[in-house]
Amino acid sequence: EAGFITACCASGITMAIAGAMTGTNLLAIERLPDDTEGLKSEVVIQLGHIVNYGAPIDQSIRVAGAKVIPAGTVSVTQDYHVREAINERTAAALYVVAHHTVQYGMLSLEEFCEICHARGVPVIVDAASEYDLRSFLARGADIVVYSGHKFLSGPTSGIVTGRKDLVRAAYLQNRGVARAMKVGKESIAGTMAALEAWEKRDHAGIRR
């Protein structure tokens, strides 16, 4: 429904989480990360998804001022682990798609989304290095964050896309914690050009 370009995928994750916490409340945006009084400020993530991609992914959560709530064990997450981790303080849930994560014993994206959506919790997907720009939203994610410089071959950047209300709330974090993460005009133009090239690319030929 909407999207914007930011400095990188890590900043996109922080912005999406912060947006889930504040909505479009500008004062709340200015209060982050240390003042979360009155805000939902917990983020559920499967323990097997708490990986390091050069920095720990849970740091991207904490930079927003949110508290990390691990669900399950490092090798197995059951549906009740996620269900019981959700409470009235849960702002969002983060699902990581990467070769770094535990590949066996975790909940699928569909299962994860079904549990979270039943409690009104939006699901943010970190798909930094993934090739598919559409399937994660189709499978139930509310926000998906991509890299603009990995498979897209554009300049260093991140792409935040998904539900319009959540995208807008994430974008407004440029007035808060994301001010230090702002993207240059050159990267915005370069990422747009990379996306246009992506639409015309011979994907099957490249895969072969």
Side-chain angles (χ1 to χ4, degrees):
E1 295 178 352
F4 66 87
I5 297 165
T6 186
C8 61
C9 192
S11 64
I13 293 168
T14 297
M15 294 172 76
I17 288 168
M21 294 166 63
T22 65
T24 57
N25 185 319
L26 297 181
L27 182 57
I29 289 168
E30 291 180 358
R31 285 166 45 203
L32 295 185
D34 58 330
D35 183 359
T36 61
E37 185 177 356
L39 301 177
K40 294 181 178 182
S41 59
E42 294 185 357
V43 175
V44 175
I45 180 172
Q46 297 182 83
L47 185 57
H49 284 191
I50 300 179
V51 297
N52 189 306
Y53 50 80
I57 194 162
D58 55 309
Q59 188 171 55
S60 290
I61 298 172
R62 290 184 282 109
V63 166
K67 180 181 179 181
V68 179
I69 305 296
T73 66
V74 73
S75 57
V76 175
T77 301
Q78 301 286 359
D79 55 0
Y80 60 83
H81 288 138
V82 174
R83 191 175 298 113
E84 294 299 323
I86 296 171
N87 58 51
E88 68 280 359
R89 298 180 300 277
T90 306
L94 180 62
Y95 192 96
V96 182
V97 181
H99 66 275
H100 297 291
T101 63
V102 174
Q103 298 297 307
Y104 176 82
M106 299 294 106
L107 295 176
S108 69
L109 176 58
E110 289 84 353
E111 292 170 318
F112 193 76
C113 288
E114 182 179 2
I115 295 166
C116 294
H117 290 164
R119 298 288 295 276
V121 173
V123 174
I124 299 162
V125 172
D126 169 13
S129 58
E130 293 305 301
Y131 199 84
D132 192 328
L133 283 174
R134 293 185 173 88
S135 72
F136 302 112
L137 290 169
R139 291 166 61 191
D142 299 288
I143 288 277
V144 184
V145 186
Y146 296 97
S147 168
H149 57 276
K150 292 187 172 73
F151 67 90
L152 270 179
S153 303
T156 299
S157 57
I159 302 167
V160 180
T161 183
R163 252 176 57 189
K164 188 174 183 179
D165 60 327
L166 293 173
V167 170
R168 176 167 175 75
Y171 181 76
L172 284 173
Q173 304 307 313
N174 282 300
R175 299 180 61 155
V177 293
R179 181 65 179 173
M181 308 170 182
K182 64 182 179 180
V183 62
K185 295 179 178 65
E186 301 87 348
S187 289
I188 294 173
T191 304
M192 289 172 67
L195 284 166
E196 289 172 357
W198 174 261
E199 289 294 322
K200 304 170 187 175
R201 189 175 297 172
D202 179 6
H203 298 284
I206 291 170
R207 284 182 182 275
R208 285 196 301 271

